[in-house]
Amino acid sequence: MLTWLQRDSLQFPPLAKAMREPNGLLAAGGDLSADRLISAYRHGCFPWFQDGQPILWWSPDPRTVLFPDELHVSRSLAKLLRQQHYRVTFDQNFAAVIQACAEPRAYADGTWITRGMQEAYLQLHQRGTAHSVEVWSGDELVGGLYGLAIGQLFFGESMFSRADNASKVGFATLVGKLRDWGFVLIDCQMPTQHLHSFGARAIPRASFAEYLKCHLDLPTGADWLA
C-alpha cells in the first residue's frame, strides 16, 4: 500500500516498502520544502512526477550509480576535453541550468522539472546544497547539469545539451572534480545508455543505503567556486 506523507512530518517509510511495480515508488504527497528534499535524499529517495500528479517519491531497486574512480572517458571525448573547445564552470548560473533542463525534449512528453521543482531546487542552491555545472562556448551556455552534494555523495538530477557533446564534457569534468574532492559515489538514480557509457552500473538498493549511512556526514575538499 502506498504511503501518503503528512505535511507536518519529514519522515519517509522504510525503503524496503517501495513498490516493485512501478519499481521504487515509495510514497506520495508532502511538499517540496528544502527540509523535506534534504530529508528525502538522506533517506535514499527522490521526487519524480508530472504536472497534475501528486508529488511522488521513488527509491528504485537496483540503483544506478557511478563510482568516480570507475569513470570511463571515450577516446573522442578525451580528445575534446584536451582541446578545451568548451569552458566549464560551477555554480555560476544555477537558475539558467535548471531552466534549460526543464525545457521540452523531442523524446518526451512534458517535463518532470515543474515550476515548483525549479523553485525548490533554487532554494537548495541558495542553501549551498544544490550545485550546477555550466558548459560554455564563448559566452553562450550550451550545456550543463545540476544535483545535490551531501557529505561524500553527489546526487545527480538532470543535464542538458545544446551543442555536440556539451553535457558529456560537463559531466566528465564534474566527475573528475568530485574524485579529487573525495566524493565516493554519484547517484544516477535510473539507468540510461548515456550514463552506462561513462561506467555507471547498478547496485542493490540495500548497498546504496549502506553508502548513505557511511558517507552522508563525512567531509570533502569541495570548493565549488574555486
Side-chain angles (χ1 to χ4, degrees), residues 38-217:
I38 291 173
S39 178
Y41 285 94
R42 291 183 66 90
H43 186 66
C45 61
F46 56 88
W48 183 35
F49 62 100
Q50 302 277 347
D51 262 333
Q53 291 182 330
I55 301 172
L56 301 176
W57 303 89
W58 301 78
S59 183
D61 189 14
R63 188 82 162 218
T64 301
V65 303
L66 173 66
F67 296 97
D69 287 339
E70 296 180 2
L71 173 68
H72 172 74
V73 177
S74 67
R75 289 184 179 180
S76 59
L77 180 56
K79 181 179 179 180
L80 185 59
L81 289 166
R82 289 194 301 270
Q83 292 173 338
Q84 297 184 333
H85 179 71
Y86 298 121
R87 178 171 57 92
V88 180
T89 61
F90 298 92
D91 282 357
Q92 294 300 302
N93 200 334
F94 186 93
V97 169
I98 194 171
Q99 184 176 357
C101 288
E103 290 175 354
R105 312 289 176 101
Y107 54 82
D109 295 329
T111 176
W112 59 271
I113 308 175
T114 64
R115 174 56 59 182
M117 289 279 277
Q118 293 181 53
E119 293 172 353
Y121 284 85
L122 278 167
Q123 290 185 23
L124 290 177
H125 176 62
Q126 292 162 4
R127 284 193 177 197
T129 302
H131 301 278
S132 60
V133 180
E134 301 88 17
V135 182
W136 307 87
S137 178
D139 293 329
E140 182 183 1
L141 182 65
V142 295
L145 61 127
Y146 74 96
L148 279 66
I150 306 177
Q152 295 177 339
L153 306 180
F154 185 84
F155 302 84
E157 276 298 314
S158 185
M159 62 179 66
F160 79 99
S161 187
R162 295 170 177 161
D164 289 344
N165 296 310
S167 64
K168 291 183 178 180
V169 168
F171 185 71
T173 302
L174 171 65
V175 176
K177 285 290 188 181
L178 294 175
R179 181 184 59 232
D180 294 343
W181 289 339
F183 283 73
V184 300
L185 181 145
I186 299 166
D187 175 29
C188 302
Q189 299 179 349
M190 308 293 282
T192 68
Q193 183 177 356
H194 180 71
L195 291 168
H196 284 309
S197 72
F198 279 105
R201 56 186 173 93
I203 64 173
R205 182 170 55 212
S207 298
F208 179 72
E210 193 64 24
Y211 276 96
L212 296 176
K213 178 181 177 181
C214 295
H215 296 280
L216 277 176
D217 296 309

